[in-house]
Amino acid sequence: MKGLLTVLLLIGSNVFMTFAWYGHLKLQEMKISDGWPLILIILLSWGMAFFEYCMQVPANRIGFVDNGGPFNLVQLKVIQEALSLIVFTVVVMLFFKGQPLQWNHFVAFGLIILAVFFVFLK
């Protein structure tokens, strides 16, 4: 159960992270944030990133083996990176439709998913 909760929190964290890092580009594309000073964009991103941390930190605490969770540090990091790419890909496909994903992107993503497999081998 702690493993599932960890993964769900990491997914939520990555949704906020993706919008914190790239959402301002969509606002610019939609002409909403044109003319906003960079500091305002940074503060907006920080505000969204706060919610990322509100999920990321508990996910790592719950999932970490020394706290009774099922994952070691390397496993937590690789899971987080793989989820980050999956969430990023879904967000790009839904919100940034002008950004095509090409075959080499999927190969790279597949290799990262393989990293998840290998990090769990004993």
Side-chain angles (χ1 to χ4, degrees):
M1 193 55 142
K2 285 187 173 190
L4 178 61
L5 181 57
T6 297
V7 169
L8 291 174
L9 285 168
L10 288 174
I11 290 169
S13 167
N14 278 290
V15 169
F16 282 105
M17 178 194 71
T18 300
F19 281 105
W21 287 11
Y22 304 104
H24 63 90
L25 298 175
K26 184 63 177 178
L27 292 176
Q28 184 179 25
E29 179 185 291
M30 296 170 61
K31 307 287 188 221
I32 293 173
S33 64
D34 280 357
W36 288 14
L38 184 56
I39 189 68
L40 185 57
I41 299 295
I42 292 168
L43 291 173
L44 175 69
S45 293
W46 275 358
M48 287 186 276
F50 170 77
F51 296 102
E52 170 200 353
Y53 280 86
C54 286
M55 297 177 135
Q56 179 79 23
V57 172
N60 286 330
R61 283 195 161 255
I62 292 166
F64 185 48
V65 70
D66 286 358
N67 293 333
F71 308 118
N72 65 38
L73 286 176
V74 174
Q75 291 169 332
L76 279 169
K77 182 59 181 173
V78 173
I79 292 168
Q80 191 280 328
E81 292 299 333
L83 290 173
S84 177
L85 278 176
I86 293 166
V87 168
F88 173 81
T89 302
V90 170
V91 169
V92 165
M93 289 171 41
L94 293 175
F95 294 100
F96 291 90
K97 295 182 180 177
Q99 297 290 317
L101 291 172
Q102 300 170 350
W103 70 269
N104 57 319
H105 300 143
F106 289 103
V107 170
F109 295 167
L111 291 172
I112 291 171
I113 300 302
L114 275 175
V116 174
F117 169 77
F118 283 112
V119 81
F120 282 94
L121 283 180
K122 303 261 180 201

